[in-house]
Amino acid sequence: MKLYYSPGACSLADHIALHEAGLSFEHEKVDLKAKRTESGTDYATINPKGYVPALTLDSGETVTENIAILDWIAHQDSALKPSGAMGHTHLLMALAFISTEIHKSFKPFFSGGSDEEKAKASETIVKRMGYLADTIEGDYLFGDTVSVADCYLFVMLLWAAKNQIDVPAPLEAFRERMKARPAVQTAMQHEGLI
């Protein structure tokens, strides 16, 4: 199995989750501007969409999109999703919210947006993160154990810090708890972030 990533991109969530699940995998950096992998492969042959993440499974099938990859990882280790009859549904709700309401809101910061666009995006991000701060159920989104959604939220919080966006205090504490996790440290070391 191989994860294709770009350092600090949203693919970091998958990188962390794979380590949290204890799965054996290789990882290869992608230069998103040149559209080449570290080994020189044309990335379009792996993911024609041209962005990360992509996870090539042992079967040879490649899965793309953060929500799909994180969901797949959660199915490999049920400890990474909330339990109960509605656990999977709650996980998908959190992943979709983080992807569509928070992740997408960072676009002006990565696409040369104006100061006005960035200010408006910051307001939206803070508002959306406020919802998560108000609904967090313990040390992590769903209680006392980490889920794949926590991995994704952590990356969004790194992006917020990088762009000087103040997040609610409960999420600052969450970010620090996540930073202390061995899986987070390992993934960040692999990506040259620490």
Side-chain angles (χ1 to χ4, degrees), residues 149-163:
D150 295 298
C151 300
Y152 200 178
L153 176 58
F154 173 71
V155 175
M156 298 300 100
L157 291 166
L158 290 180
W159 290 2
K162 180 180 179 180
N163 292 289

Side-chain angles (χ1 to χ4, degrees), residues 19-177:
H19 284 297
E20 287 285 358
L23 297 172
S24 177
F25 67 101
E26 297 174 7
H27 47 87
E28 186 166 358
K29 185 165 60 172
V30 176
D31 180 331
L32 293 174
K33 289 184 177 151
K35 304 294 184 197
R36 310 256 341 137
T37 69
E38 198 167 31
S39 64
T41 302
D42 176 0
Y43 187 58
T45 64
I46 297 159
N47 182 3
K49 296 172 186 172
Y51 52 79
V52 293
L55 181 65
T56 300
L57 305 177
D58 291 339
S59 66
E61 183 174 359
T62 298
V63 181
T64 62
E65 304 299 330
N66 248 338
I67 293 173
I69 294 170
L70 291 168
D71 182 61
W72 183 88
I73 295 167
H75 278 83
Q76 308 314 300
D77 181 354
S78 62
L80 292 174
K81 62 181 176 179
S83 60
M86 292 294 289
H88 187 241
T89 301
H90 290 151
L91 179 66
L92 290 177
M93 285 172 39
L95 289 171
F97 181 79
I98 294 166
S99 181
T100 62
E101 301 301 323
I102 298 175
H103 182 162
K104 281 300 203 184
S105 295
F106 278 97
K107 186 174 182 178
F109 294 97
F110 299 122
S111 64
S114 68
D115 288 344
E116 184 180 332
E117 290 169 324
K118 290 177 183 177
K120 186 175 181 182
S122 292
E123 286 178 27
T124 300
I125 291 164
V126 169
K127 181 179 178 184
R128 301 295 188 248
M129 287 196 177
Y131 167 78
L132 292 176
D134 290 344
T135 58
I136 196 167
E137 296 179 11
D139 283 348
Y140 303 102
L141 287 172
F142 300 109
D144 295 329
T145 58
V146 73
S147 73
V148 295
D150 295 298
C151 300
Y152 200 178
L153 176 58
F154 173 71
V155 175
M156 298 300 100
L157 291 166
L158 290 180
W159 290 2
K162 180 180 179 180
N163 292 289
Q164 292 83 46
I165 300 170
D166 293 327
V167 299
L171 295 186
E172 286 180 6
F174 167 89
R175 182 179 62 224
E176 295 310 307
R177 276 192 298 280

